[in-house]
Amino acid sequence: MCGIVGYAGKSDAVPFLLGGLERLEYRGYDSAGLAVVENGGLSVRKAVGNVAALACEISARPLAGAPGISHTRWATHGEVTLENAHPHVDATGRLALVHNGVVENHRELRAMLEERGHEFASTTDTEVLARLVGEAFESMPSRDGESLREAVRVALLQAKGSFAVGVIHADAANAMVAARRASPLVVGSGSGGQFLASDPGALSGWVDEVVFLNDGEIALLDGGELRVDRIDGSAAPQPVFREVEAAAGPSELGGFEHHMLKEIHEQPQTLRDVMMGRLDSDEATARLAGLDCPPEDIRGWGQLILTSCGTSFHAALAGEYLIESMARIPVECEYASEFRYRNSPLDGGAAVFALSQSGETADTLAAVRECRRRGIPTFGIVNNAFSSLARETRGGVDIRAGAEIGVAATKTFTSQVAVLAMLGLLLGRMHDMERGEGMEILEAFSRLPDMVAEVLGTEGLVRGIAEKYADSGSFLFFGRQAHFPVALEGALKLKEVSYISTCAHPSAELKHGVIALVNERTPSVFIAPRDGLFEKNLGNIEEVRARRGPVIAVGNAGDGELEAICDAFIPVPKVPEFLAPILTVVPLQLLAYHIAVLLGCDVDKPRNLAKSVTVE
Ligand code: AGP
């Protein structure tokens, strides 16, 4: 989604800005722009399309100077046009502002500003902020960094909604202001200047440490010691510096054509990593130290709520089946976007787990904040220990999947499910699960990475299936119990990267309506391992066949009965039911990938999608 990079210092800002934006490209965007203070004035360049297009525009019309701010825009308010791309300028054309988030009261602010004579150049909510800050700066007694900081602060007090902003002004040529509410922003010093960015990865190699601004904070970067205040005028806590991890780059494709394929193939290792040190064979349980919660409290949880969005929601749904069957504790899954507004009755023993790959998903963070307000213990299942989600929950579990660059989540799904299975084991052993059963589960966990590697060995077969069905206009996905979330995830993966229309249902729902979609040109993908409901799945497959619908089945290796009635069969090893979703999802990831490649789609950056959805 939108990205921000800013630089203030003695060097030319442009190479830093372009380099930083390139590192944020994987998050998804549709236009880019930057502004620098140059020869006492403000120079702005923008491009519709990617950062390379912006670099071309700069080659054609060079600029240089500092400070500078830059942005990749993922359209929310207003079409993808040059006018709507950031930075936006104020009425004088001497102030530039970039913004992530949504100004919810932008209509009334715009009307108010228009009454005062402002003529807007764009249809964005962001330009309203640029105009407001500009007006406030014009009324300041002096024209320096301090005044710019105060102008930003005063203007933001009028804005409702979420924002992370970077602001520069030609009259405050040594200064840059950063402020945030609900959208992430970091600031740091190094490489001959000071920086701001929406993601610390953008600054890797230039700064060693960053400060994650807290909600409602504002910082002035003017070459002096970093000063952080609160937008509302109250005192801010002392800034805490944290190390920046090295960012993954495109050079790290490791021989794979795309990040998505590389990340699918990383799963044996990411599963080893997520389990490392967490399986306890002495006690036949799992150890999740990051929960940072006394066993008596954990034992007291009478209900779990899992909340998240997209793929992370599908992982939660799989977790619901696994935890309930292992621990016999009721689990509810809630879309974070709905949960945050639902005011659902939760009993005193409820604990909430929020799942998020990015740790920055706006809806998930809002759900967490609402739970905290209600005094409900809230934990994060995260892939970034410095993310907002990790910082805003009282404890949690790091899925240790490493950077996921492909916009379509793959390895993080399997790692999230593995964490939930370990949570199920931990809770099961605290309640009624026998030691022997715990040991069997541990043994299955230890074989899991090799079994995923075995499934990856079917890639040639899956590619052949992709070739046969890539031209299908739509796909149906079906599964039972914990394989229903796998069906949902397979359907999401395919539609995300290939733009093919898909839907997913529990297999038994077929006859309740979706059977109307079955025809000779619409493949039905069934996840049908030999579990307690295998025969039921078989019946549904026959119902599709009876209507000449092609059937692709994911089943257990050696299952001749299933293979015989399908048009295509993908074998996976047999594992205990609570780990099976981690295996059966892998062929669906490969199928989506290969169909997308065959259709010529941009698999790592699918149209309209953002890796980190930081707006509501
Ligand atoms: C998954 O392929 C998608 N990119 C999307 O559904 C994603 O899972 C969702 O936006 C949630 O993201 P999060 O895990 O970072 O919170």
Side-chain angles (χ1 to χ4, degrees):
M1 196 153 265
C2 303
I4 293 177
V5 181
Y7 168 83
K10 294 198 178 357
S11 307
D12 176 17
V14 175
F16 288 118
L17 302 181
L18 285 176
L21 290 186
E22 272 170 15
R23 293 175 186 176
L24 296 181
E25 280 198 291
Y26 74 96
R27 298 163 67 109
Y29 66 101
D30 37 50
S31 55
L34 58 76
V36 296
V37 174
E38 182 178 37
N39 302 326
L42 191 74
S43 300
V44 182
R45 301 287 185 273
K46 298 181 184 184
V48 169
N50 56 17
V51 176
L54 177 63
C56 270
E57 169 66 13
I58 290 170
S59 299
R61 293 196 305 133
L63 78 170
I69 49 170
S70 62
H71 192 261
T72 45
R73 174 176 186 250
W74 186 84
T76 59
H77 292 65
E79 288 180 19
V80 181
T81 62
L82 221 47
E83 294 73 31
N84 287 341
H86 300 210
H88 289 283
V89 298
D90 74 337
T92 69
R94 296 179 65 74
L95 175 144
L97 178 146
V98 291
H99 164 228
N100 288 357
V102 173
V103 181
E104 287 170 1
N105 57 338
H106 69 101
R107 281 191 196 83
E108 41 191 284
L109 292 174
R110 176 181 283 255
M112 178 188 83
L113 287 161
E114 279 172 344
E115 265 179 35
R116 299 210 285 252
H118 286 268
E119 286 177 19
F120 284 82
S122 78
T123 53
T124 62
D125 53 334
T126 301
E127 192 182 357
V128 167
L129 292 182
R131 301 280 172 149
L132 279 178
V133 178
E135 267 196 355
F137 187 72
E138 292 307 311
S139 69
M140 292 288 152
S142 58
R143 306 182 73 74
D144 55 13
E146 288 287 340
S147 304
L148 185 60
R149 187 192 67 86
E150 186 56 11
V152 173
R153 194 185 75 74
V154 169
L156 290 180
L157 285 174
Q158 301 172 63
K160 291 187 183 147
S162 56
F163 53 76
V165 296
V167 188
I168 56 172
H169 196 293
D171 293 347
N174 62 340
M176 178 166 67
V177 176
R180 69 156 284 204
R181 183 201 292 151
S183 290
L185 201 60
V186 299
V187 294
S189 302
S191 289
Q194 291 174 308
F195 295 83
L196 64 82
S198 52
D199 181 325
L203 307 182
S204 165
W206 301 333
V207 302
D208 296 330
E209 292 180 325
V210 291
V211 171
F212 288 81
L213 292 184
N214 294 312
D215 234 13
E217 287 185 343
I218 184 165
L220 173 61
L221 308 172
D222 63 356
E225 199 176 319
L226 176 69
R227 191 179 127 197
V228 178
D229 298 288
R230 291 198 58 78
I231 296 168
D232 65 8
S234 62
Q238 194 64 20
V240 179
F241 287 85
R242 296 177 197 272
E243 238 173 80
V244 177
E245 285 176 25
S251 57
E252 292 162 31
L253 273 170
F256 289 94
E257 209 180 324
H258 297 100
H259 285 286
M260 181 179 176
L261 186 60
K262 174 178 175 251
E263 287 156 6
I264 291 171
H265 278 270
E266 280 172 359
Q267 289 175 108
Q269 187 55 45
T270 51
L271 288 165
R272 277 183 203 105
D273 292 344
V274 73
M275 292 187 286
M276 197 176 26
R278 289 174 169 161
L279 301 179
D280 178 347
S281 49
D282 290 339
E283 305 277 345
T285 188
R287 299 227 165 270
L288 300 174
L291 293 177
D292 202 14
C293 202
E296 315 77 85
D297 289 8
I298 296 178
R299 164 125 195 134
W301 295 343
Q303 180 192 21
L304 293 192
I305 309 293
L306 308 180
T307 189
S308 44
C309 306
T311 288
S312 295
F313 181 73
H314 298 156
L317 276 179
E320 177 180 10
Y321 287 96
L322 310 184
I323 296 170
E324 285 191 347
S325 74
M326 283 195 263
R328 312 301 306 152
I329 292 175
V331 179
E332 291 298 327
C333 290
E334 300 272 1
Y335 281 111
S337 51
E338 291 296 307
F339 188 48
R340 61 185 288 189
Y341 293 117
R342 256 192 63 199
N343 194 20
S344 52
L346 299 177
D347 76 29
V352 169
F353 279 78
L355 292 84
S356 175
Q357 176 282 131
S358 61
E360 304 295 348
T361 300
D363 284 319
T364 308
L365 289 170
V368 162
R369 288 170 192 148
E370 175 61 9
C371 291
R372 281 174 40 206
R373 185 192 67 74
R374 294 174 67 184
I376 301 161
T378 306
F379 301 86
I381 295 181
V382 301
N383 194 33
N384 178 349
F386 295 134
S387 60
S388 299
L389 181 59
R391 287 179 288 121
E392 294 193 25
T393 42
R394 60 170 277 183
V397 187
D398 187 341
I399 66 169
R400 303 175 184 159
E404 191 175 62
I405 305 293
V407 165
T410 52
K411 61 178 179 173
T412 51
F413 173 84
T414 46
S415 293
Q416 287 169 332
V417 176
V419 165
L420 292 170
M422 286 189 278
L423 183 61
L425 172 61
L426 169 71
L427 295 172
R429 287 288 289 136
M430 289 180 108
H431 291 270
D432 300 325
M433 188 190 285
E434 300 281 357
R435 180 183 168 79
E437 193 184 344
M439 288 306 285
E440 277 172 31
I441 293 173
L442 287 183
E443 197 272 331
F445 265 119
S446 67
R447 288 188 291 122
L448 194 59
D450 289 341
M451 287 191 285
V452 170
E454 198 178 321
V455 179
L456 290 169
T458 64
E459 185 173 357
L461 170 73
V462 176
R463 189 181 157 90
I465 297 170
E467 281 166 3
K468 189 167 170 192
Y469 294 108
D471 291 333
S472 308
S474 59
F475 275 71
L476 309 174
F477 287 78
F478 299 100
R480 297 297 302 262
Q481 302 287 298
H483 295 292
F484 164 52
V486 172
L488 285 169
E489 178 57 10
L492 179 67
K493 279 300 79 87
L494 185 57
K495 69 167 73 105
E496 279 186 306
V497 296
S498 74
Y499 320 138
I500 290 175
S501 174
T502 65
C503 67
H505 295 271
S507 313
E509 282 293 301
L510 182 65
K511 55 195 170 296
H512 296 294
V514 70
I515 199 162
L517 299 177
V518 172
N519 62 41
E520 289 165 22
R521 298 170 313 283
T522 305
S524 289
V525 181
F526 276 85
I527 300 116
R530 284 265 168 185
D531 56 20
L533 292 175
F534 175 73
E535 298 295 337
K536 309 280 181 194
N537 253 327
L538 228 46
N540 297 129
I541 290 173
E542 292 292 5
E543 286 161 8
V544 171
R545 273 163 46 88
R547 290 159 183 86
R548 300 196 173 168
V551 172
I552 301 167
V554 177
N556 287 135
D559 192 332
E561 185 185 5
L562 179 61
E563 189 169 0
I565 62 165
C566 297
D567 298 274
F569 176 73
I570 308 169
V572 297
K574 183 144 179 58
V575 275
E577 286 182 24
F578 58 85
L579 288 183
I582 295 173
L583 291 187
T584 54
V585 76
V586 175
L588 306 189
Q589 297 169 341
L590 288 170
L591 185 67
Y593 170 79
H594 283 293
I595 288 179
V597 169
L598 288 163
L599 294 178
C601 301
D602 186 352
V603 282
D604 280 343
K605 292 180 207 145
R607 73 178 178 212
N608 300 340
L609 297 191
K611 184 69 183 164
S612 180
V613 183
T614 51
V615 293
E616 184 173 358

PDB file of all heavy atoms in Angstrom, residues 309-312 355-359 361 364 407-409 416 492-493 496 610-611 613, ligand 1:
ATOM      1  N   CYS A 309      -7.493 -10.666   8.763  1.00  0.00           N
ATOM      2  CA  CYS A 309      -8.072 -10.381   7.442  1.00  0.00           C
ATOM      3  C   CYS A 309      -7.407 -11.274   6.390  1.00  0.00           C
ATOM      4  O   CYS A 309      -6.266 -11.705   6.567  1.00  0.00           O
ATOM      5  CB  CYS A 309      -7.785  -8.938   7.019  1.00  0.00           C
ATOM      6  SG  CYS A 309      -8.299  -7.700   8.218  1.00  0.00           S
ATOM      7  N   GLY A 310      -8.104 -11.477   5.281  1.00  0.00           N
ATOM      8  CA  GLY A 310      -7.521 -12.147   4.118  1.00  0.00           C
ATOM      9  C   GLY A 310      -6.953 -13.511   4.441  1.00  0.00           C
ATOM     10  O   GLY A 310      -7.575 -14.337   5.122  1.00  0.00           O
ATOM     11  N   THR A 311      -5.741 -13.751   3.947  1.00  0.00           N
ATOM     12  CA  THR A 311      -5.088 -15.044   4.177  1.00  0.00           C
ATOM     13  C   THR A 311      -4.925 -15.322   5.671  1.00  0.00           C
ATOM     14  O   THR A 311      -5.091 -16.458   6.124  1.00  0.00           O
ATOM     15  CB  THR A 311      -3.714 -15.046   3.470  1.00  0.00           C
ATOM     16  OG1 THR A 311      -3.951 -15.124   2.068  1.00  0.00           O
ATOM     17  CG2 THR A 311      -2.855 -16.216   3.895  1.00  0.00           C
ATOM     18  N   SER A 312      -4.601 -14.291   6.422  1.00  0.00           N
ATOM     19  CA  SER A 312      -4.448 -14.493   7.874  1.00  0.00           C
ATOM     20  C   SER A 312      -5.769 -14.930   8.491  1.00  0.00           C
ATOM     21  O   SER A 312      -5.787 -15.670   9.486  1.00  0.00           O
ATOM     22  CB  SER A 312      -3.956 -13.204   8.542  1.00  0.00           C
ATOM     23  OG  SER A 312      -2.671 -12.881   8.089  1.00  0.00           O
ATOM     24  N   LEU A 355      -3.983 -12.091  14.120  1.00  0.00           N
ATOM     25  CA  LEU A 355      -2.964 -12.632  13.213  1.00  0.00           C
ATOM     26  C   LEU A 355      -2.722 -11.641  12.090  1.00  0.00           C
ATOM     27  O   LEU A 355      -3.680 -11.148  11.483  1.00  0.00           O
ATOM     28  CB  LEU A 355      -3.434 -13.943  12.572  1.00  0.00           C
ATOM     29  CG  LEU A 355      -3.592 -15.166  13.452  1.00  0.00           C
ATOM     30  CD1 LEU A 355      -4.947 -15.173  14.133  1.00  0.00           C
ATOM     31  CD2 LEU A 355      -3.458 -16.427  12.615  1.00  0.00           C
ATOM     32  N   SER A 356      -1.453 -11.397  11.776  1.00  0.00           N
ATOM     33  CA  SER A 356      -1.162 -10.510  10.650  1.00  0.00           C
ATOM     34  C   SER A 356       0.271 -10.709  10.191  1.00  0.00           C
ATOM     35  O   SER A 356       1.201 -10.654  10.988  1.00  0.00           O
ATOM     36  CB  SER A 356      -1.368  -9.057  11.070  1.00  0.00           C
ATOM     37  OG  SER A 356      -0.980  -8.192  10.043  1.00  0.00           O
ATOM     38  N   GLN A 357       0.426 -10.938   8.902  1.00  0.00           N
ATOM     39  CA  GLN A 357       1.762 -11.041   8.321  1.00  0.00           C
ATOM     40  C   GLN A 357       2.497  -9.724   8.467  1.00  0.00           C
ATOM     41  O   GLN A 357       3.624  -9.682   8.936  1.00  0.00           O
ATOM     42  CB  GLN A 357       1.628 -11.450   6.849  1.00  0.00           C
ATOM     43  CG  GLN A 357       2.919 -11.521   6.042  1.00  0.00           C
ATOM     44  CD  GLN A 357       3.459 -10.178   5.595  1.00  0.00           C
ATOM     45  OE1 GLN A 357       4.646  -9.909   5.776  1.00  0.00           O
ATOM     46  NE2 GLN A 357       2.619  -9.312   5.090  1.00  0.00           N
ATOM     47  N   SER A 358       1.852  -8.643   8.060  1.00  0.00           N
ATOM     48  CA  SER A 358       2.529  -7.341   8.071  1.00  0.00           C
ATOM     49  C   SER A 358       2.594  -6.758   9.475  1.00  0.00           C
ATOM     50  O   SER A 358       3.500  -6.005   9.802  1.00  0.00           O
ATOM     51  CB  SER A 358       1.776  -6.363   7.174  1.00  0.00           C
ATOM     52  OG  SER A 358       0.450  -6.180   7.666  1.00  0.00           O
ATOM     53  N   GLY A 359       1.581  -7.073  10.274  1.00  0.00           N
ATOM     54  CA  GLY A 359       1.480  -6.443  11.592  1.00  0.00           C
ATOM     55  C   GLY A 359       1.029  -4.998  11.509  1.00  0.00           C
ATOM     56  O   GLY A 359       1.059  -4.271  12.505  1.00  0.00           O
ATOM     57  N   THR A 361      -1.914  -4.128   9.414  1.00  0.00           N
ATOM     58  CA  THR A 361      -3.238  -4.070   8.798  1.00  0.00           C
ATOM     59  C   THR A 361      -4.166  -3.211   9.659  1.00  0.00           C
ATOM     60  O   THR A 361      -4.373  -3.507  10.846  1.00  0.00           O
ATOM     61  CB  THR A 361      -3.790  -5.490   8.619  1.00  0.00           C
ATOM     62  OG1 THR A 361      -2.878  -6.193   7.770  1.00  0.00           O
ATOM     63  CG2 THR A 361      -5.158  -5.492   7.984  1.00  0.00           C
ATOM     64  N   THR A 364      -7.101  -4.895  11.548  1.00  0.00           N
ATOM     65  CA  THR A 364      -6.665  -5.800  12.614  1.00  0.00           C
ATOM     66  C   THR A 364      -6.190  -4.992  13.821  1.00  0.00           C
ATOM     67  O   THR A 364      -6.511  -5.322  14.974  1.00  0.00           O
ATOM     68  CB  THR A 364      -5.550  -6.732  12.088  1.00  0.00           C
ATOM     69  OG1 THR A 364      -6.022  -7.354  10.884  1.00  0.00           O
ATOM     70  CG2 THR A 364      -5.176  -7.797  13.092  1.00  0.00           C
ATOM     71  N   VAL A 407       3.198 -10.362  -3.105  1.00  0.00           N
ATOM     72  CA  VAL A 407       1.997  -9.786  -2.474  1.00  0.00           C
ATOM     73  C   VAL A 407       1.060 -10.888  -2.003  1.00  0.00           C
ATOM     74  O   VAL A 407       0.409 -10.771  -0.965  1.00  0.00           O
ATOM     75  CB  VAL A 407       1.311  -8.800  -3.456  1.00  0.00           C
ATOM     76  CG1 VAL A 407      -0.094  -8.473  -2.999  1.00  0.00           C
ATOM     77  CG2 VAL A 407       2.135  -7.526  -3.561  1.00  0.00           C
ATOM     78  N   ALA A 408       0.989 -11.971  -2.737  1.00  0.00           N
ATOM     79  CA  ALA A 408       0.137 -13.085  -2.318  1.00  0.00           C
ATOM     80  C   ALA A 408       0.841 -13.856  -1.196  1.00  0.00           C
ATOM     81  O   ALA A 408       1.942 -14.379  -1.374  1.00  0.00           O
ATOM     82  CB  ALA A 408      -0.125 -14.007  -3.494  1.00  0.00           C
ATOM     83  N   ALA A 409       0.211 -13.918  -0.044  1.00  0.00           N
ATOM     84  CA  ALA A 409       0.816 -14.598   1.110  1.00  0.00           C
ATOM     85  C   ALA A 409       0.831 -16.107   0.874  1.00  0.00           C
ATOM     86  O   ALA A 409      -0.160 -16.684   0.420  1.00  0.00           O
ATOM     87  CB  ALA A 409       0.014 -14.269   2.356  1.00  0.00           C
ATOM     88  N   GLN A 416       1.565 -19.527  10.108  1.00  0.00           N
ATOM     89  CA  GLN A 416       0.487 -19.131  11.041  1.00  0.00           C
ATOM     90  C   GLN A 416      -0.294 -20.364  11.509  1.00  0.00           C
ATOM     91  O   GLN A 416      -0.598 -20.506  12.697  1.00  0.00           O
ATOM     92  CB  GLN A 416      -0.476 -18.148  10.358  1.00  0.00           C
ATOM     93  CG  GLN A 416       0.098 -16.752  10.173  1.00  0.00           C
ATOM     94  CD  GLN A 416      -0.779 -15.889   9.272  1.00  0.00           C
ATOM     95  OE1 GLN A 416      -1.487 -16.381   8.394  1.00  0.00           O
ATOM     96  NE2 GLN A 416      -0.720 -14.587   9.466  1.00  0.00           N
ATOM     97  N   LEU A 492      -8.631 -17.822  -2.959  1.00  0.00           N
ATOM     98  CA  LEU A 492      -8.100 -16.454  -2.849  1.00  0.00           C
ATOM     99  C   LEU A 492      -6.788 -16.327  -3.629  1.00  0.00           C
ATOM    100  O   LEU A 492      -6.575 -15.363  -4.367  1.00  0.00           O
ATOM    101  CB  LEU A 492      -7.879 -16.085  -1.376  1.00  0.00           C
ATOM    102  CG  LEU A 492      -7.306 -14.690  -1.130  1.00  0.00           C
ATOM    103  CD1 LEU A 492      -8.305 -13.594  -1.519  1.00  0.00           C
ATOM    104  CD2 LEU A 492      -6.899 -14.494   0.331  1.00  0.00           C
ATOM    105  N   LYS A 493      -5.906 -17.337  -3.466  1.00  0.00           N
ATOM    106  CA  LYS A 493      -4.614 -17.266  -4.163  1.00  0.00           C
ATOM    107  C   LYS A 493      -4.827 -17.160  -5.670  1.00  0.00           C
ATOM    108  O   LYS A 493      -4.213 -16.346  -6.339  1.00  0.00           O
ATOM    109  CB  LYS A 493      -3.761 -18.523  -3.895  1.00  0.00           C
ATOM    110  CG  LYS A 493      -2.992 -18.616  -2.629  1.00  0.00           C
ATOM    111  CD  LYS A 493      -1.957 -17.577  -2.339  1.00  0.00           C
ATOM    112  CE  LYS A 493      -2.506 -16.302  -1.838  1.00  0.00           C
ATOM    113  NZ  LYS A 493      -2.753 -16.078  -0.456  1.00  0.00           N
ATOM    114  N   GLU A 496      -6.304 -13.774  -6.715  1.00  0.00           N
ATOM    115  CA  GLU A 496      -5.355 -12.666  -6.505  1.00  0.00           C
ATOM    116  C   GLU A 496      -4.329 -12.562  -7.630  1.00  0.00           C
ATOM    117  O   GLU A 496      -4.040 -11.473  -8.086  1.00  0.00           O
ATOM    118  CB  GLU A 496      -4.571 -12.882  -5.202  1.00  0.00           C
ATOM    119  CG  GLU A 496      -5.290 -12.477  -3.946  1.00  0.00           C
ATOM    120  CD  GLU A 496      -4.384 -12.577  -2.728  1.00  0.00           C
ATOM    121  OE1 GLU A 496      -3.794 -13.653  -2.495  1.00  0.00           O
ATOM    122  OE2 GLU A 496      -4.256 -11.575  -2.014  1.00  0.00           O
ATOM    123  N   ALA A 610      -2.328  -4.625  -2.453  1.00  0.00           N
ATOM    124  CA  ALA A 610      -1.270  -4.052  -1.625  1.00  0.00           C
ATOM    125  C   ALA A 610      -0.820  -5.105  -0.625  1.00  0.00           C
ATOM    126  O   ALA A 610      -1.630  -5.900  -0.142  1.00  0.00           O
ATOM    127  CB  ALA A 610      -1.787  -2.843  -0.884  1.00  0.00           C
ATOM    128  N   LYS A 611       0.463  -5.132  -0.336  1.00  0.00           N
ATOM    129  CA  LYS A 611       0.982  -6.137   0.606  1.00  0.00           C
ATOM    130  C   LYS A 611       0.559  -5.809   2.029  1.00  0.00           C
ATOM    131  O   LYS A 611       0.334  -6.695   2.836  1.00  0.00           O
ATOM    132  CB  LYS A 611       2.506  -6.190   0.493  1.00  0.00           C
ATOM    133  CG  LYS A 611       3.160  -7.264   1.345  1.00  0.00           C
ATOM    134  CD  LYS A 611       2.829  -8.655   0.828  1.00  0.00           C
ATOM    135  CE  LYS A 611       3.404  -9.757   1.690  1.00  0.00           C
ATOM    136  NZ  LYS A 611       2.756 -11.057   1.384  1.00  0.00           N
ATOM    137  N   VAL A 613      -2.088  -3.549   4.148  1.00  0.00           N
ATOM    138  CA  VAL A 613      -3.300  -2.738   3.948  1.00  0.00           C
ATOM    139  C   VAL A 613      -3.484  -1.806   5.156  1.00  0.00           C
ATOM    140  O   VAL A 613      -4.145  -2.152   6.134  1.00  0.00           O
ATOM    141  CB  VAL A 613      -4.524  -3.634   3.700  1.00  0.00           C
ATOM    142  CG1 VAL A 613      -5.766  -2.794   3.426  1.00  0.00           C
ATOM    143  CG2 VAL A 613      -4.255  -4.549   2.506  1.00  0.00           C
TER     144      VAL A 613
HETATM  145  C1  AGP B   1      -3.016 -12.434   0.939  1.00  0.00           C
HETATM  146  O1  AGP B   1      -2.496 -13.053  -0.188  1.00  0.00           O
HETATM  147  C2  AGP B   1      -3.372 -11.020   0.733  1.00  0.00           C
HETATM  148  N1  AGP B   1      -2.253 -10.247   0.347  1.00  0.00           N
HETATM  149  C3  AGP B   1      -4.243 -10.413   1.825  1.00  0.00           C
HETATM  150  O2  AGP B   1      -5.456 -11.096   1.870  1.00  0.00           O
HETATM  151  C4  AGP B   1      -3.646 -10.390   3.254  1.00  0.00           C
HETATM  152  O3  AGP B   1      -3.595 -11.676   3.769  1.00  0.00           O
HETATM  153  C5  AGP B   1      -4.509  -9.480   4.138  1.00  0.00           C
HETATM  154  O4  AGP B   1      -4.495  -8.184   3.623  1.00  0.00           O
HETATM  155  C6  AGP B   1      -4.053  -9.476   5.576  1.00  0.00           C
HETATM  156  O5  AGP B   1      -2.740  -9.025   5.685  1.00  0.00           O
HETATM  157  P1  AGP B   1      -1.895  -9.211   7.011  1.00  0.00           P
HETATM  158  O6  AGP B   1      -1.698 -10.659   7.222  1.00  0.00           O
HETATM  159  O7  AGP B   1      -0.636  -8.464   6.743  1.00  0.00           O
HETATM  160  O8  AGP B   1      -2.695  -8.595   8.120  1.00  0.00           O
END
